[in-house]
Amino acid sequence: MSRVVRIIAFGCGLCGGIVASQGPEFAQQYRQRLGGAIDELRQVITRFDADAQASGETRESAITRLRSNADDFVSRQGTAMQANVERLGRLENHRGTMMQAGPFSRVALMVRDGDQDVMEAVYRDFEPAVPVTEEGILSTAIGFIAVWGGVLLLMGFLRSLLRRPRARRQEIQA
């Protein structure tokens, strides 16, 4: 294989490693955002619970009262609070599952079960970082090897396709 092909493969491998290393970093920033979303929802619900209790209501009865109100605005507030309570439960369960999962499983859980709003916020503000965790270093190595090896295989395959017709032409001419 020519030196140029090896240099191109190495450069592509480096790019692949850099891209692959960002998966664990994205997941780490996702977990931070997830924690922030949980904290904020807890504060909102805690204030709602305090207001409900001050009015002699439970959370559930206050939500039911709001949702059944004839005033559309008030009814929507009840629906929104119910959605907040349900979302908090989902986010807490998701975070608990992610914290118990192994390093590479966290990335898969984020992709498979991640909260779309949190994911979009992370994507908007994502800052690439140099991986220093075991997960990040392994992701970098895997990305490098996969892309580097893939480029070498592809170039070898293409080279073999281009060489065969020449060999056949020489056989025909002989």
Side-chain angles (χ1 to χ4, degrees):
M1 224 172 258
S2 75
R3 180 179 206 149
V4 173
V5 170
R6 281 186 253 144
I7 291 171
I8 290 170
F10 185 78
C12 289
L14 286 176
C15 290
I18 290 167
V19 169
S21 73
Q22 297 311 299
E25 179 59 26
F26 189 89
Q28 186 268 341
Q29 290 182 30
Y30 172 82
R31 286 191 311 275
Q32 288 178 344
R33 281 270 180 151
L34 186 63
I38 289 170
D39 291 344
E40 188 60 31
L41 280 172
R42 279 186 188 150
Q43 283 184 345
V44 168
I45 292 169
T46 298
R47 280 183 293 222
F48 181 82
D49 287 347
D51 289 344
Q53 189 175 23
S55 299
E57 301 270 355
T58 65
R59 176 191 301 165
E60 291 77 19
S61 67
I63 289 173
T64 301
R65 183 174 164 190
L66 288 172
R67 290 180 74 177
S68 63
N69 194 297
D71 185 332
D72 188 50
F73 176 75
V74 175
S75 177
R76 286 176 187 259
Q77 292 302 305
T79 301
M81 186 52 65
Q82 180 65 43
N84 285 338
V85 169
E86 291 169 1
R87 182 166 187 242
L88 177 61
R90 281 192 313 273
L91 293 180
E92 287 176 331
N93 287 335
H94 179 55
R95 185 168 109 183
T97 303
M98 286 190 75
M99 298 308 273
Q100 291 175 354
F104 290 102
S105 298
R106 284 185 231 152
V107 175
L109 282 169
M110 176 194 66
V111 170
R112 188 184 73 208
D113 301 329
D115 182 79
Q116 197 63 38
D117 292 336
V118 174
M119 194 94 68
E120 288 173 6
V122 173
Y123 180 75
R124 270 193 319 272
D125 297 335
F126 180 69
E127 293 184 15
V130 176
V132 293
T133 62
E134 179 182 323
E135 178 183 20
I137 292 169
L138 285 173
S139 292
T140 303
I142 290 167
F144 173 81
I145 290 168
V147 173
W148 171 75
V151 168
L152 286 177
L153 285 172
L154 179 64
M155 294 298 205
F157 176 72
L158 292 174
R159 182 178 269 188
S160 71
L161 288 177
L162 295 174
R163 284 188 180 177
R164 285 186 183 162
R166 285 186 199 157
R168 286 186 187 148
R169 277 189 224 134
Q170 290 173 354
E171 288 174 9
I172 295 171
Q173 290 175 356

